[in-house]
Amino acid sequence: TTYTSLDQLPITLRAEEVAAVLGISRAGAYTLMRSKGFPTIFIGKRMVVQKDKLLAWMDAKAEE
């Protein structure tokens, strides 16, 4: 799926969607989602991030 705006993103994003939003590889998204300080939710072995938490994380990183 191709998204043309942030409003089109689902409430929770998988690694593939995080990669697309950030313009990184899927492997890079998995690494990021496993890193300390990233707002990942673990549901069993599945990893997702809430869209609003990803955007807040991006805002915080932009201010560093």
Side-chain angles (χ1 to χ4, degrees), residues 7 11 16-17 24 42 50:
D7 293 332
I11 295 170
E16 294 82 3
E17 294 156 333
I24 61 176
F42 292 89
Q50 292 174 302

Side-chain angles (χ1 to χ4, degrees), residues 15-47:
E16 294 82 3
E17 294 156 333
V18 170
V21 168
L22 297 178
I24 61 176
S25 69
R26 192 175 84 186
Y30 278 111
T31 299
L32 181 62
M33 292 176 77
R34 288 186 188 100
S35 68
K36 184 177 179 179
F38 194 80
T40 303
I41 298 170
F42 292 89
I43 304 169
K45 291 185 178 184
R46 187 169 180 232
M47 295 186 299

